[in-house]
Amino acid sequence: YEQFLKLGDLVSEGEYRQAQAQVSPDDRVIMVYTSGTTGFPKGAMHNHNILRNLTRVVEWLRYTERDRIFIGALPFFHVFGSFAGATCALISGACVVTMDAYEPGDWLALWAKERCTSIYGVPTMFIMALDHPGLEKFDLSSARTGLMGGALCPVEVVRAIHTRMGAKVLTAYGMTETTAVTTLSDPDDDPEIIANTVGRAIGGWQIEIADPDSGAELPPNTQGELWTRGHHVMMGYYK
């Protein structure tokens, strides 16, 4: 024991100096791997612009230090849990609530116990929770908002989340390459808009639906490829 310093003694006797980090906004800060759903996973490199982008998400969802963001079992190796969840909490000072694995009853119980104000998940997680026989016994009144992504959600499910769970969960679209959230529905949108769209660009970047062969912008209600440009886009793939 005599070989160790007590933290209190170290703080009282030591000299504190503020380190001056040699950091540029353009420096690479993190690398997150893509899911590999359409190809071999690749490392997407991001610079400090992730803070600029996710600050806009924080503003959009109106997060403050009073919020409790329920990431649940979403993994931190994925941008939904790490960028849209943990980093948004870091920016706003909110609390993060996690769990080891998803099980609808445990998920609902933890939401109620921790008085979570924002709920994250994919549509299947919400559907399983809505089908849970004990749903009505949980006090979920603390929730006001949340994020749902990964797939489109039927409008009746969106309505049920709003009415039976009391959370105005919003739909989002994004990629590992674009700092998680590229488009996001609005807290004031109707359930039909939330269910049938993925919202709008929220950070001042450009988005268009283009012909994948010619690159020409396509008119509304035309199927094409989503192209986006702005500071939310990654620096590139690792190697």
Side-chain angles (χ1 to χ4, degrees), residues 25-33 43-50 53 79 83 175-180 231-236:
D26 297 323
D27 288 344
R28 184 175 62 192
V29 65
I30 194 169
M31 181 168 66
V32 185
Y33 273 79
M45 301 180 293
H46 288 275
N47 60 23
H48 289 271
N49 265 327
I50 63 170
N53 305 338
V79 289
F83 281 12
M175 297 180 285
T176 308
E177 294 90 338
T178 58
T179 326
H231 58 261
H232 64 309
V233 177
M234 65 174 182
M235 302 169 68

Side-chain angles (χ1 to χ4, degrees), residues 100-142:
D100 290 336
Y102 179 80
E103 192 284 321
D106 294 342
W107 191 72
L108 290 165
L110 191 57
W111 170 349
K113 176 185 175 182
E114 295 292 337
R115 306 297 298 160
C116 298
T117 62
S118 181
I119 315 301
Y120 284 23
V122 298
T124 303
M125 295 167 65
F126 286 97
I127 291 170
M128 292 175 67
L130 287 166
D131 288 339
H132 190 273
L135 171 65
E136 310 304 335
K137 76 176 184 179
F138 296 104
D139 180 3
L140 309 178
S141 60
S142 58

